[in-house]
Amino acid sequence: MTVKTKTKTETRDMFVGGKWVQSRSGAVREILDPADGALLARVPESGREDAAAAIDSARAAFDDGPWRKVTAQDRGKFLFRIAEGLRAEAKKLAELETRSCGKPLAEAEFDVADAANCFEFYGGLATKLHGETMQVPANSLSFVLREPVGVCGQIIPWNYPLLMAAWKLAPALAAGNVCVLKPSELTPLTALELARVIEAVGLPPGVVNVVTGPGAGAGEELASSRKVDKVAFTGGTATGRRIMAAATSNLKKISLELGGKNPNIVFADADLEMAVDGALFGAFANQGEVCSAGSRLLVQRPLHRRLVDAMLKKVPRIKLGHGLEPGVKMGPLVSGAHREKVEAYIKIGREEGAKLLCGGKRPAGAAFAKGFFLEPTIFDEVKPSMRIAREEIFGPVLAVIAFDDEEEAVRIANDTEYGLAAAVWTKDVTRALRVVGQLRAGITWVNTYHPSHNEMPWGGYKASGIGRELGLHGIEGYLETKQVNVNLDETPIGWY
């Protein structure tokens, strides 16, 4: 199948203060389809002054606009309508997501549905934010209010553009905040389409702003501006550290969802077929461009050879191609520069002495010539000290590490600066829970890999971040806590 590309290239605007505008410099960036290099659109290349204008718009909307007076019930209704709007545009959005970041259409369709569900979940939660009433020693009516933080700068990555926008915007709006969202400069198109949906449901101007452009400039302004009350970031750990430092300008609240080098632990008694599928899906879903990817496969020695051989038999079934082609299970990496980074790690793995079992190169053929494709890659005989076992590659590269016993598995799993996700495969539920209890990771699975739910918290330990997204925990970072005391005595305090 040949995927047809529109010949007319649209120039998009960004959404600031309820209006569609270009960057003040007039600069634009070309957005390319990573599967074939086709030009999808041109978008504004904003800088610090563009982000500052969006922040001012959000600040005015929060301090002086009507949004603060909108009831929780009506905020929820806005979010329900956004969910409806996403579902009405689901086909268009999924295809655009596939063209933008390369993922297979089936994955993009799931992302769109999940983004709509996220807005719906927080729409329902908007009316369920409770304070507290406390009995205190004084003759006082004392209670706690939960209030919005204010202006939220939100910076999202390129691997799940629409879904990450939903994860950021939905809880912030449910809590009564205003937002400046900066999508990745590589994949801004579905975030801009989301802004169109938001415009159509009638949110007041300035409540949601979408600024396109690189982190150097627009992102730096969001992180450092004293007019921003909170910054939320999903992306690499190195960038997260810089954002955390910049946020000290006014000690703004921060939430960081960062990288991972996640262990997928398979014990000898695991169901082989399930473990094989889980290992491959954990490593290669979304081309391995997932912060929670199971990029370290820890296998108990009695099962090691059988599991590796079974994986090698299945890898050829992973069809590569444009994500809109039927049957494709793996698309291209997001950019040429990122593919080169992943290839550099494959070279490092070879130099370190790991055994390359499959992949490690660009697929041959005219269908792949213009895209940023890379074959699914598996290394065996990996030592925990190797760079490919310690550093986040963010691509379709799996490092297989053998272990002898439970104690060694836990030690290897936790021997990392990260602590985002982990999985355990075993038929022994007692061992599964015992091991999960020892793993230093914020998201864990037993006999499965990758499922996530809007109702459950998402985030990591250690260098994998600060705070949680999704679920009840996800809205906490967008709320302030206020103590209120009402004196019930009718006589003066008599202090003087």
Side-chain angles (χ1 to χ4, degrees):
M1 172 184 172
T2 300
V3 177
K4 296 181 179 179
T5 303
K6 296 179 181 179
T7 56
K8 182 180 178 182
T9 302
E10 183 180 355
T11 298
R12 307 289 181 91
D13 294 329
M14 54 188 179
F15 192 58
V16 177
K19 298 179 181 178
W20 294 94
V21 300
Q22 282 289 307
S23 64
R24 298 194 175 195
S25 68
V28 297
R29 175 184 289 263
E30 293 185 339
I31 306 301
L32 306 178
D33 185 329
D36 57 17
L39 180 61
L40 300 177
R42 295 181 178 88
V43 300
E45 184 82 336
S46 65
R48 295 194 74 134
E49 61 181 5
D50 298 294
I55 292 168
D56 286 342
S57 174
R59 188 81 262 168
F62 186 77
D63 294 337
D64 305 313
W67 185 240
R68 293 290 298 278
K69 297 179 182 178
V70 173
T71 65
Q73 185 178 37
D74 286 338
R75 290 200 305 271
K77 290 178 180 177
F78 274 123
L79 269 64
F80 291 147
R81 292 202 291 271
I82 292 171
E84 292 172 3
L86 290 176
R87 293 190 179 111
E89 299 288 330
K91 184 175 185 298
K92 172 185 175 182
L93 287 168
E95 290 180 358
L96 184 58
E97 194 84 331
T98 290
R99 289 187 180 277
S100 295
C101 60
K103 66 180 62 189
L105 182 61
E107 292 188 30
E109 289 172 338
F110 178 85
D111 290 352
V112 174
D114 207 30
N117 292 340
C118 184
F119 277 104
E120 202 162 64
F121 173 78
Y122 282 107
L125 192 59
T127 57
K128 300 164 185 68
L129 303 177
H130 300 291
E132 306 165 60
T133 302
M134 304 293 292
Q135 287 184 317
V136 295
N139 188 18
S140 172
L141 172 62
S142 296
F143 55 95
V144 172
L145 297 177
R146 307 306 306 278
E147 298 182 339
V149 170
V151 175
C152 301
Q154 301 173 315
I155 304 171
I156 60 174
W158 44 258
N159 57 338
Y160 290 90
L162 182 63
L163 191 56
M164 293 297 99
W167 282 23
K168 294 288 187 290
L169 291 173
L173 295 175
N177 296 281
V178 299
C179 304
V180 180
L181 177 75
K182 193 202 83 64
S184 167
E185 64 270 26
L186 299 177
T187 57
L189 299 183
T190 47
L192 292 174
E193 290 301 315
L194 174 57
R196 294 187 186 280
V197 172
I198 288 170
E199 180 186 33
V201 305
L203 257 68
V207 172
V208 172
N209 306 269
V210 179
V211 178
T212 57
E220 291 173 340
E221 183 66 20
L222 288 175
S224 61
S225 173
R226 292 175 177 270
K227 297 179 182 179
V228 174
D229 301 301
K230 173 188 170 68
V231 62
F233 170 74
T234 297
T237 297
T239 304
R241 288 190 175 100
R242 293 196 294 271
I243 288 174
M244 188 173 182
T248 61
S249 64
N250 62 331
L251 296 178
K252 59 173 61 67
K253 287 180 173 289
I254 59 171
S255 57
L256 305 172
E257 201 270 275
L258 307 176
K261 193 67 180 178
N262 311 291
N264 196 1
I265 307 169
V266 183
F267 286 96
D269 71 330
D271 183 289
L272 179 62
E273 186 176 357
M274 287 183 64
V276 169
D277 279 353
L280 294 175
F281 186 68
F284 300 136
N286 204 58
Q287 300 75 247
E289 296 171 322
V290 189
C291 57
S292 57
S295 56
R296 288 189 295 153
L297 182 63
L298 280 55
V299 188
Q300 198 165 21
R301 291 191 191 278
L303 188 64
H304 172 256
R305 187 73 268 151
R306 290 174 60 207
L307 181 64
V308 168
D309 289 345
M311 286 195 301
L312 292 177
K313 288 180 181 178
K314 276 202 169 184
V315 167
R317 302 183 194 177
I318 303 175
K319 181 180 177 180
L320 274 67
H322 196 296
L324 296 182
E325 293 181 8
V328 164
K329 297 297 183 182
M330 182 183 291
L333 300 188
V334 73
S335 69
H338 186 61
R339 180 172 64 175
E340 289 176 1
K341 173 192 171 186
V342 176
E343 288 174 325
Y345 272 108
I346 293 171
K347 181 181 178 182
I348 289 169
R350 285 170 164 164
E351 292 172 346
E352 288 181 317
K355 184 178 180 180
L356 181 64
L357 298 182
C358 67
K361 61 184 185 299
R362 302 177 184 186
F368 307 109
K370 295 182 180 180
F372 308 123
F373 292 93
L374 192 63
E375 293 177 345
T377 301
I378 300 177
F379 280 101
D380 197 7
E381 300 178 14
V382 176
K383 297 178 180 178
S385 60
M386 292 179 177
R387 288 181 63 188
I388 61 169
R390 305 197 67 81
E391 299 177 18
E392 186 176 39
I393 299 173
F394 219 70
V397 180
L398 177 61
V400 181
I401 303 170
F403 69 89
D404 288 311
D405 55 28
E406 183 178 312
E407 182 180 354
E408 184 183 14
V410 171
R411 184 174 65 252
I412 294 171
N414 288 336
D415 183 20
T416 171
E417 69 171 317
Y418 300 107
L420 184 57
V424 177
W425 299 79
T426 177
K427 294 177 182 177
D428 185 340
V429 65
T430 302
R431 174 162 58 190
L433 295 177
R434 184 171 62 243
V435 172
V436 163
Q438 297 175 75
L439 295 175
R440 298 282 293 162
I443 307 146
T444 57
W445 297 283
V446 175
N447 295 332
T448 187
Y449 207 98
H450 272 322
S452 63
H453 310 282
N454 290 306
E455 297 80 6
M456 298 295 287
W458 182 275
Y461 292 16
K462 300 189 284 188
S464 288
I466 296 172
R468 294 293 184 269
E469 296 192 298
L470 298 182
L472 299 177
H473 297 78
I475 205 167
E476 285 294 324
Y478 290 100
L479 290 166
E480 290 281 15
T481 302
K482 177 180 285 184
Q483 176 189 156
V484 181
N485 297 284
V486 180
N487 180 23
L488 300 181
D489 285 329
E490 296 183 357
T491 57
I493 190 172
W495 185 262
Y496 297 108

